[in-house]
Amino acid sequence: KYVPMVGASGAVFGVLLAFGMTFPNQYIYLNFFFPIKAKYFVIGYGLLELYNGIATTGSGIAHFAHLGGMIFGFFLIRKWRRNRFV
């Protein structure tokens, strides 16, 4: 029997995007050796999720939920900046 599982990955992607918007030039080290700026990492990861959401079917991963979390994080940071919380 197939039992779906619900996770919090959309929220994690929202936090990832918020980090990329708040600290865009902060370096993230991939595998502890390869530095990449947060803004490029977030953009690349978002594009990867978009590709996987379109190209991959039946994997059991909600790629569009990840993108939804990123979109929510984007608008939340914009609102906070407008109200001077961040």
Side-chain angles (χ1 to χ4, degrees):
K1 180 180 176 188
Y2 177 73
V3 179
M5 179 179 276
V6 179
S9 58
V12 172
F13 274 78
V15 171
L16 176 68
L17 186 111
F19 177 80
M21 287 180 68
T22 307
F23 307 104
N25 294 317
Q26 182 68 36
Y27 282 100
I28 297 172
Y29 288 89
L30 301 177
N31 296 332
F32 301 105
F33 295 112
F34 308 106
I36 183 171
K37 289 188 177 183
K39 59 186 170 186
Y40 301 128
F41 178 77
V42 171
I43 290 169
Y45 211 1
L47 291 174
L48 181 66
E49 284 298 316
L50 179 63
Y51 172 76
N52 284 335
I54 294 170
T56 308
T57 58
S59 67
I61 299 173
H63 297 287
F64 289 110
H66 298 162
L67 293 173
M70 292 180 92
I71 291 169
F72 182 81
F74 175 77
F75 286 115
L76 185 64
I77 290 295
R78 282 191 52 194
K79 182 181 182 326
W80 284 352
R81 284 184 178 169
R82 194 173 338 115
N83 293 333
R84 299 191 186 270
F85 286 121
V86 175

